[in-house]
């Protein structure tokens, strides 16, 4: 394999002069305070080697990347019947679009836009009090990463609870279409806490390693999902993981990936490695600007694109 540390170092050298580009997610007041001049990246290979550069050990708000973990839990609970509640098509619209939800009668396009993720969270809540569902997710992510120190940042969750008006609208809409079984406040309470999961690049890359390794984490030996399910989650990340920037990400990077407005991107090179990159400045569609640039460099320098080198 190529010298991955040398590749990461070369990416860091090329990115450093640009650090600070993009705009932090100021619609969530607590995230508006984050200094955009940060960049970190970690690669964990399926044979258990870890490579890191920059601010890879600083915890950040994983936001929408949590949707991958919630989706994994929901599929484990209800299997393919999940797809009665949410679609599997790219949206081509903003992650918080209300128009599209009305147009599609309360069935969100995919599990990674906000409406779809809120429906997925509702599925995971079945039989649980909201607090228990949050606990289940936190335990799951700690188990995946094999790291008990992962926490949820209550300040971020509170900040979004106070200002997440669009999510309140989306959830009410779905409730009106009977696509939410639980009260809107409860579902959003869980959703805002899942988004507020606080992890660093290394914890995130470790937590998602099962998606690069046919559903099992080779570092812990934990079997998480079947190879088929891992493949399908990767397919959804490739087609829907970057909202209305998904086509562009596939074009430039060519890896399944999921972004969050905290500035993180989690990506998978199937059979090879999982990657987490973080830089808080976002582009126009709400994806980490330099995170995407760094992943494009990584794909070009390793030949890891799923579409060939
Ligand atoms: N918590 C954010 C929201 O619901 C997540 C959005 C994102 O990361 N794209 O708006």
């Amino acid at each position: 394999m190529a010298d991955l540390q040398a590749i990461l170092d070369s990416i860091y050298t090329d990115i450093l002069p640009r650090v600070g580009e993009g705009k932090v997610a100021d619609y969530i007041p607590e995230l508006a305070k984050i200094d955009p001049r940060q960049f970190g990246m970690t690669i964990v290979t399926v044979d258990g080697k870890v490579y890191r550069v920059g601010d890879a050990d600083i915890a950040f708000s994983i936001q929408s990347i949590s949707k991958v973990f919630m989706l994994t839990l929901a599929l484990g609970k209800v299997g393919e019947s999940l797809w009665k509640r949410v679609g599997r098509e790219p949206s081509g619209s903003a992650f918080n679009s209300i128009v599209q939800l009305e147009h599609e009668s309360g069935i969100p396009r995919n599990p990674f836009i906000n409406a779809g993720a809120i429906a997925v969270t509702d599925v995971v809540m079945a039989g649980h009090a909201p607090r228990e569902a949050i606990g289940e997710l936190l335990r799951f992510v700690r188990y995946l990463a094999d790291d008990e120190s992962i926490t949820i940042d209550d300040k971020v969750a509170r900040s979004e609870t106070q200002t997440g008006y669009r999510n309140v609208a989306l959830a009410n809409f779905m409730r009106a279409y009977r696509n939410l079984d639980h009260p809107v406040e409860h579902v959003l309470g869980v959703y805002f806490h899942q988004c507020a999961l606080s992890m660093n690049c290394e914890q995130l890359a470790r937590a998602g390693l099962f998606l690069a390794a046919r559903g099992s984490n080779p570092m812990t030996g934990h079997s998480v999902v079947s190879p088929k399910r891992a493949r399908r989650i990767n397919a959804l990340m490739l087609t829907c993981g970057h909202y209305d920037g998904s086509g562009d990400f596939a074009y430039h990077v060519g890896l399944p990936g999921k972004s969050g407005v905290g500035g993180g991107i989690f990506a998978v090179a199937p059979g090879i490695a999982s990657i987490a990159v973080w830089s808080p400045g976002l582009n126009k569609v709400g994806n980490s600007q330099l995170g995407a640039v760094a992943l494009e460099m990584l794909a070009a320098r390793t030949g890891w694109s799923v579409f060939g080198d």
Side-chain angles (χ1 to χ4, degrees):
M1 190 171 319
D3 182 346
L4 291 178
Q5 190 60 51
I7 291 177
L8 272 190
D9 291 341
S10 73
I11 292 171
Y12 193 51
T13 306
D14 292 347
I15 289 279
L16 262 185
R18 298 179 60 178
V19 163
E21 273 184 24
K23 216 170 139 281
V24 295
D26 55 6
Y27 77 100
I28 301 175
E30 203 55 33
L31 296 185
K33 299 181 189 161
I34 306 288
D35 181 356
R37 287 165 304 176
Q38 303 183 80
F39 175 90
M41 192 167 186
T42 298
I43 299 173
V44 179
T45 60
V46 296
D47 51 9
K49 298 201 179 69
V50 182
Y51 304 87
R52 49 180 95 64
V53 80
D55 302 314
D57 56 354
I58 299 185
F60 60 91
S61 192
I62 73 163
Q63 292 295 317
S64 286
I65 303 171
S66 66
K67 294 169 180 175
V68 177
F69 303 122
M70 241 355 172
L71 173 66
T72 307
L73 278 180
L75 285 169
K77 283 211 157 147
V78 302
E80 295 289 305
S81 71
L82 180 69
W83 306 118
K84 291 190 209 127
R85 305 273 307 266
V86 58
R88 296 191 298 262
E89 294 297 337
S91 65
S93 315
F95 63 82
N96 52 11
S97 171
I98 291 173
V99 172
Q100 188 167 61
L101 190 61
E102 166 141 49
H103 193 66
E104 294 177 340
S105 310
I107 306 292
R109 268 290 170 99
N110 68 61
F112 294 148
I113 54 173
N114 284 12
I118 291 166
V120 167
T121 297
D122 185 65
V123 167
V124 172
M125 288 170 70
H128 283 312
R131 191 184 298 271
E132 292 163 355
I134 297 168
E136 185 181 1
L137 176 71
L138 183 59
R139 273 194 305 281
F140 183 52
V141 172
R142 286 176 172 173
Y143 168 82
L144 290 176
D146 196 22
D147 189 336
E148 292 295 314
S149 72
I150 295 169
T151 54
I152 288 173
D153 186 335
D154 283 322
K155 270 207 207 130
V156 173
R158 208 170 317 126
S159 182
E160 224 186 337
T161 306
Q162 286 160 358
T163 56
Y165 305 114
R166 287 189 78 98
N167 288 319
V168 175
L170 292 168
N172 273 296
F173 230 98
M174 286 193 287
R175 184 85 164 151
Y177 279 107
R178 300 187 192 288
N179 196 16
L180 283 192
D181 294 335
H182 301 90
V184 164
E185 310 74 60
H186 291 187
V187 184
L188 288 180
V190 177
Y191 172 77
F192 291 142
H193 280 83
Q194 80 182 54
C195 289
L197 265 168
S198 180
M199 294 166 79
N200 63 32
C201 288
E202 185 163 340
Q203 291 167 329
L204 186 55
R206 283 175 188 268
L209 186 60
F210 72 98
L211 290 169
R214 306 181 75 247
S216 298
N217 182 330
M219 292 176 95
T220 58
H222 295 157
S223 167
V224 184
V225 296
S226 67
K228 178 172 166 188
R229 183 156 289 162
R231 188 169 76 231
R232 289 178 155 175
I233 295 171
N234 286 336
L236 289 164
M237 287 202 290
L238 183 80
T239 50
C240 311
H242 284 74
Y243 318 112
D244 38 344
S246 298
D248 209 47
F249 188 80
Y251 182 85
H252 286 288
V253 179
L255 298 172
K258 181 74 206 81
S259 67
V261 291
I265 303 179
F266 165 69
V268 175
I272 307 172
S274 62
I275 306 126
V277 57
W278 170 62
S279 188
L282 307 179
N283 64 17
K284 285 196 296 295
V285 294
N287 300 320
S288 172
Q289 175 141 331
L290 293 182
V293 171
L295 285 167
E296 181 174 1
M297 291 174 178
L298 181 73
R301 294 172 197 186
T302 54
W304 284 355
S305 163
V306 296
F307 301 108
D309 54 4

